[in-house]
Amino acid sequence: MEIRRDHAVIGVDAGGTKISGLLIAGGEIKGRFRLNTDISSQDAVVRCVTEVIEKLRNEGRGQGLEARSLGVGIAGFIDYERGVITEAPNLPLKNLPLKELLVSEFHLPVVVDNDANVAALAEARWGAGRGSRHLVHLTLGTGIGGGIIVDGKLYRGVSGAGAELGHMIIMVGGPLCNCGSQGCLEALASGTAIERMARERKLGGGASPVLRRCAAEMEVYDAKMVTLAAEDGDEVALRILEEMGHYLGIGISNLINIFNPEKVTLSGGLIQAWRFFQRS
């Protein structure tokens, strides 16, 4: 099939912290847009997604490009066939027919899938895992998502909710995860986990001057602030990221033993702190 260069697609990645979108035509990125996720309500999240799509569609039209389809990767449990978000641990979404809503709004073909599934496909086809027929992918952000490629195909499980790798138990009786379980990989090695550890250091009286300054300036103890403190050589921040890396390493080791993949690939906002947590 011939790909017309005036036809474009819009891809959106909706996470617990930010929603990012790309306009792609002829295999090239023609536009980008990003905003912070409004998690105050289900309707607010949907408004953020539609705003990103609308901005990119208008940007395309300004270049003589017309969007012909939409793809949305979202952090949550997805009924892929219906395009329904059944639940999302880090977003206020439950039984949301997102595909139906977007088709009604934009009158275009729409695909809705788990964000880590989409990322795994991208890595296997065009990214660090290109050419791999057996691959495990982890998305490291507010939470931790997973995608599994087996014999060149995406593994979804019986109900389409397979590969929730962030919710395997790493520490029995460990920190509470947003999914309701304790000691999940996500509760120990995600952006949320880093923020929890930073707050625990603060409450325990062990927070560093750098972390206190970051929190005072930004009013948060999030992963970005901890990374900035680590870049300043702060020992508390460095220990937090090393601890996170320790648990991430356990999780990856488990996945290698279970799936025997050709490659394990990683993506997400926390990759910016890789040089700190890989030391563990």
Side-chain angles (χ1 to χ4, degrees), residues 128-178:
R130 187 170 185 172
S132 301
R133 294 188 61 79
H134 297 270
L135 176 145
V136 173
H137 183 74
L138 291 174
T139 57
L140 308 178
T142 304
I144 293 181
I148 303 168
I149 304 295
V150 177
D151 199 21
K153 298 179 181 179
L154 187 66
Y155 176 77
R156 296 185 182 279
V158 67
S159 65
E164 285 294 333
L165 306 179
H167 298 294
M168 61 176 165
I169 304 300
I170 298 296
M171 178 191 295
V172 176
L176 182 67
C177 182
N178 285 338

Side-chain angles (χ1 to χ4, degrees), residues 31-52:
R32 302 174 184 264
F33 186 71
R34 168 179 164 176
L35 50 73
N36 293 332
T37 309
D38 182 349
I39 60 172
S40 61
S41 69
Q42 181 161 278
D43 288 343
V45 175
V46 174
R47 282 196 300 272
C48 288
V49 172
T50 55
E51 180 180 348
V52 170

Side-chain angles (χ1 to χ4, degrees), residues 222-272:
D222 64 10
K224 180 180 179 180
M225 294 301 100
V226 174
T227 301
L228 289 173
E231 289 173 350
D232 277 352
D234 183 82
E235 287 299 323
V236 174
L238 288 169
R239 284 197 298 273
I240 289 172
L241 293 176
E242 288 177 2
E243 183 176 339
M244 173 266 184
H246 170 74
Y247 291 116
L248 178 62
I250 293 174
I252 291 174
S253 296
N254 289 342
L255 294 171
I256 290 172
N257 288 328
I258 295 168
F259 293 105
N260 185 31
E262 293 170 68
K263 291 186 179 179
V264 175
T265 54
L266 307 173
S267 66
L270 287 186
I271 294 300
Q272 298 175 38

Side-chain angles (χ1 to χ4, degrees), residues 107-121:
H107 306 289
L108 293 171
V110 175
V111 172
V112 176
D113 203 350
N114 174 271
D115 60 340
N117 282 345
V118 175
L121 281 172

